[in-house]
Amino acid sequence: MRLFIAIWPDPAFRSGCLGLQKSLAAEIRAARGRLVPAANLHLTLAFLGQSSPGSAAALIEALATIAWPKLSLEIARIGVFERSQILWAGPDGSNDALAATRRELLRALARLAIPYPVDEEFVPHVTLARHFAATAPRWAFQPILWECGPPVLVQSDRAQKDGS
């Protein structure tokens, strides 16, 4: 099973992201992008890839024991990962609580001896569209506030992820 750990949006934040997707729909269509379905909007903290059911059970247990910091995000910028053709929205700058949340998560992975490339650059984001073959739209929008819940373990379903 393919696993990742993410912050899952509440209905208010999901609604804000859907409004942002709708506002960018013309640019997304012009770039031949595909919108990420509403049910799949999230912020990934760590993609673990192929994992065993045993490591999933240990992770669920470990995540439940962590006292996560209160986390609020302001999603205020749009970007594109050109290589992977992903249009995303994310915070405009660093966030101490988000950094602390990720550090706690990486410590938990280390305690469980779950390999994870900690030197990878972390760009917090919510994927809005895939297969977006263009530069980031120059578009101002009202920031979306997100009162985040604790991270959750998610099993990746490739068909859902791609919006197929």
Side-chain angles (χ1 to χ4, degrees), residues 61-159:
E61 193 173 305
L63 292 175
T65 65
I66 296 172
W68 298 104
K70 182 172 172 42
L71 178 58
S72 297
L73 294 175
E74 182 178 82
I75 304 301
R77 82 177 164 144
I78 293 175
V80 172
F81 297 131
E82 290 181 15
R83 194 179 107 242
S84 55
Q85 296 185 325
I86 289 176
L87 174 69
W88 55 269
D92 191 17
S94 63
N95 180 296
D96 291 340
L98 180 58
T101 297
R102 189 145 191 277
R103 277 193 306 275
E104 281 299 317
L105 173 59
L106 295 179
R107 280 196 279 271
L109 293 175
R111 281 192 305 273
L112 295 169
I114 295 173
Y116 189 77
V118 293
D119 61 342
E120 148 188 311
E121 182 185 356
F122 176 61
V123 179
H125 67 279
V126 176
T127 300
L128 300 174
R130 297 187 181 281
H131 311 290
F132 186 85
T135 58
R138 301 216 186 279
W139 190 77
F141 64 97
Q142 183 68 33
I144 305 168
L145 300 178
W146 185 5
E147 296 299 325
C148 305
V152 295
L153 182 66
V154 183
Q155 183 174 346
S156 173
D157 178 350
R158 178 55 106 188

Side-chain angles (χ1 to χ4, degrees), residues 22-36:
K22 185 177 180 180
S23 298
L24 291 167
E27 288 91 342
I28 292 169
R29 276 192 305 276
R32 302 191 187 282
R34 288 195 319 205
L35 292 176
V36 170

